């Protein structure tokens, strides 16, 4: 039996899937967090306890201070003897890698994880490797940003280099829209986990074509492509993920080219150990990298993969953290495609009533229907943080799961009490 240290986590799907995988693999874990209350707000598991809090131990320590975290973990390791370290939250992946390195435990190098997590460093690594990508510029300050945008030409995609879930990522058509994005980011000096942000902006040429992600497992420097997932986008000019299907309905040439591009991108950043979720646009000139995520995919994608192939990517992540080779042999599950579609808010406010299940939600091909309860605060729908619910369906005959999932949600109505207008000065 192995003992894993889990350093923070997202509070979405992976906060339940990763603890489940660790337990089913026969291991235990200690959960380290700086803010226990952040997880007490999540959905409780069996017995009314959130799965992240059901490990062998829960430790509160300052995870945003790497020196303090390393000192705490070294003391804990002397008593508990950790066998591996991991995190599912992008903001703590470099810290988890640093802890693993300090304790001499398996994991990707800190440099590789930092290159993958920082979008500007990913672009630089791709350039160094001679891999194709969009024209881009990394800027700081408004004058530099405006000048770089004029040099690249509009429209452009604006990205913060160190945020997740699509936050503040949008297409801008002119300088006035760019200024609005720049000001919005300037007013957001810390991320959702209260870490100080890097004040850099990434401007990129717009990539046209469908968006997909490649799910991979890298062991001893060799990357195995598990499959490719498609992506539906909504809320333009923002890039909100409204759904996914696995496997993506692609021709053989596109599948091969995209898989090869993912392997090359991971090699470019030096990622030699771990699960990854790498996103691409399939342009007329071939696949072009959007970003690398050096952890299992979110948004229920790992569940889509498991239902189609039988391959459990959260469990693969746990086994890799322990230095074990994961089982990546596919099984015939009888499912040919699986899809998830997300319910998005149209305006910020409060959910007045929990949306009724789509009809017929009790059909055998519908395997999940989850919604937020009435009274939930609703965001503006401009990032992947504001879903109101989702439906997941299976297709045992072909690639029809995505169409079916989208049809089910199309008839769902959502009643939101909008935020009051600010009082006039």
């Amino acid at each position: 039996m192995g003992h894993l240290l889990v350093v923070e986590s997202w509070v979405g799907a992976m906060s339940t899937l990763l603890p489940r995988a660790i337990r089913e693999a026969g291991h235990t874990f200690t959960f380290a967090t700086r803010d226990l209350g952040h997880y007490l707000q999540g959905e409780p598991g069996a017995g009314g306890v959130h799965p992240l809090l059901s490990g062998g131990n829960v430790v509160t320590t300052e995870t945003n201070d790497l020196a303090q975290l390393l000192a705490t973990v070294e003391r804990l390791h002397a008593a508990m003897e950790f066998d591996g370290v991991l995190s599912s939250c992008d903001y703590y992946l470099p810290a988890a890698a640093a802890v693993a390195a300090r304790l001499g435990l398996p994991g990707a190098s800190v440099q590789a994880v930092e290159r993958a997590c920082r979008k500007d460093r990913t672009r630089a690594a791709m350039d160094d490797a001679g891999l194709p990508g969009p024209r881009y510029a990394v800027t700081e300050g408004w004058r530099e940003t405006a000048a770089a945008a004029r040099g690249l030409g509009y429209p452009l995609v604006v990205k913060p280099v160190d945020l997740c879930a699509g936050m503040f990522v949008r297409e801008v058509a002119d300088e006035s829209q760019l200024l609005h994005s720049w000001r919005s980011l300037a007013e957001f000096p810390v991320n959702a986990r209260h870490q100080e942000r890097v004040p850099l902006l990434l401007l990129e040429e717009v990539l046209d074509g469908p968006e997909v992600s490649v799910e991979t497992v890298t062991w001893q420097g060799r990357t195995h492509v598990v499959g490719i997932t498609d992506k539906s986008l909504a809320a333009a000019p923002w890039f909100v993920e409204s759904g996914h299907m696995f496997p993506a309905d692609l021709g053989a040439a596109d599948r091969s080219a995209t898989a090869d591009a993912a392997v090359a991108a991971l090699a470019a950043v030096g990622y030699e150990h771990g699960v990854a979720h790498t996103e691409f646009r399939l342009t007329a000139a071939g696949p072009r990298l959007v970003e690398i995520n050096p952890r299992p995919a979110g948004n229920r994608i790992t569940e889509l993969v498991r239902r189609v192939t039988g391959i459990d990517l959260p469990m693969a992540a746990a086994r890799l953290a322990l230095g074990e080779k994961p089982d990546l042999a596919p099984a015939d599950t009888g499912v040919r495609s699986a899809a998830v579609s997300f319910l998005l808010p149209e305006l910020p406010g409060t959910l007045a009533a929990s949306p009724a299940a789509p009809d017929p939600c009790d059909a055998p091909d519908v395997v999940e229907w989850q919604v937020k309860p009435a009274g939930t605060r609703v965001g503006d729908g401009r990032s992947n943080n504001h879903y109101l619910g989702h439906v997941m369906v299976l297709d045992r005959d072909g690639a029809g799961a995505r169409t079916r999932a989208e049809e089910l949600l199309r008839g769902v109505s959502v009643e939101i009490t909008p935020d009051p207008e600010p009082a006039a000065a």
Side-chain angles (χ1 to χ4, degrees), residues 65-144:
D65 184 323
L66 182 58
Q68 183 175 333
L69 174 62
L70 289 172
T72 300
V73 167
E74 284 185 318
R75 291 194 298 269
L76 293 172
H77 183 55
M80 298 181 179
E81 297 185 355
F82 299 119
D83 300 298
V85 184
L86 76 168
S87 178
S88 69
C89 179
D90 298 58
Y91 298 132
Y92 295 97
L93 295 174
V99 170
R102 175 66 65 89
L103 300 183
L105 297 174
S109 74
V110 177
Q111 295 78 10
V113 173
E114 289 177 342
R115 280 193 290 266
C117 288
R118 277 273 300 270
K119 296 176 178 64
D120 56 329
R121 294 178 180 174
T122 300
R123 289 289 177 219
M126 295 285 288
D127 286 348
D128 291 344
L131 298 175
R135 294 180 301 115
Y136 72 93
V138 181
T139 67
E140 182 176 4
W142 170 244
R143 287 179 180 271
E144 182 182 357

Side-chain angles (χ1 to χ4, degrees), residues 155-356:
L156 290 169
V157 176
V158 178
K159 296 180 179 180
V161 300
D162 59 350
L163 290 180
C164 308
M167 292 185 66
F168 294 96
V169 179
R170 65 161 293 178
E171 183 176 325
V172 295
D174 53 39
E175 191 165 293
S176 65
Q177 291 182 0
L178 177 63
L179 178 59
H180 182 270
S181 287
W182 184 86
R183 284 175 171 166
S184 296
L185 273 167
E187 296 169 358
F188 196 75
V190 297
N191 65 26
R193 298 305 180 93
H194 304 285
Q195 297 169 336
E196 187 174 345
R197 290 196 49 253
V198 177
L200 297 176
L201 201 61
L202 182 61
L203 307 179
E204 294 181 350
E205 172 189 10
V206 175
L207 295 173
D208 292 322
E211 189 163 336
V212 300
S213 63
V214 185
E215 323 310 331
T216 58
V217 175
T218 304
W219 162 255
Q220 295 183 344
R222 299 187 63 180
T223 296
H224 174 86
V225 176
V226 175
I228 302 174
T229 311
D230 80 4
K231 181 181 301 185
S232 303
L233 296 174
W238 312 94
F239 297 89
V240 180
E241 298 175 1
S242 59
H244 305 276
M245 185 174 77
F246 183 89
D249 189 14
L250 300 176
D254 280 337
R255 283 199 307 273
S256 178
T258 308
D260 289 347
V263 173
L266 292 171
V269 298
Y271 193 67
E272 297 187 335
H273 186 95
V275 178
H277 167 73
T278 307
E279 300 175 0
F280 290 89
R281 283 276 187 162
L282 305 184
T283 74
R288 294 294 183 265
L289 180 73
V290 174
E291 65 183 35
I292 299 173
N293 300 280
R295 40 91 178 150
N299 271 3
R300 312 298 293 176
I301 289 173
T302 61
E303 279 296 280
L304 303 183
V305 173
R306 185 180 66 83
R307 289 189 178 271
V308 174
T309 69
I311 296 172
D312 191 331
L313 290 172
M315 187 172 290
R319 291 194 183 281
L320 286 165
L322 292 164
E324 302 174 355
K325 183 178 181 180
D327 180 9
L328 302 177
D332 186 358
T333 63
V335 177
R336 298 296 168 257
S337 67
V340 62
S341 191
F342 297 100
L343 192 60
L344 300 169
E346 294 184 358
L347 72 166
T350 302
L351 195 60
S354 188

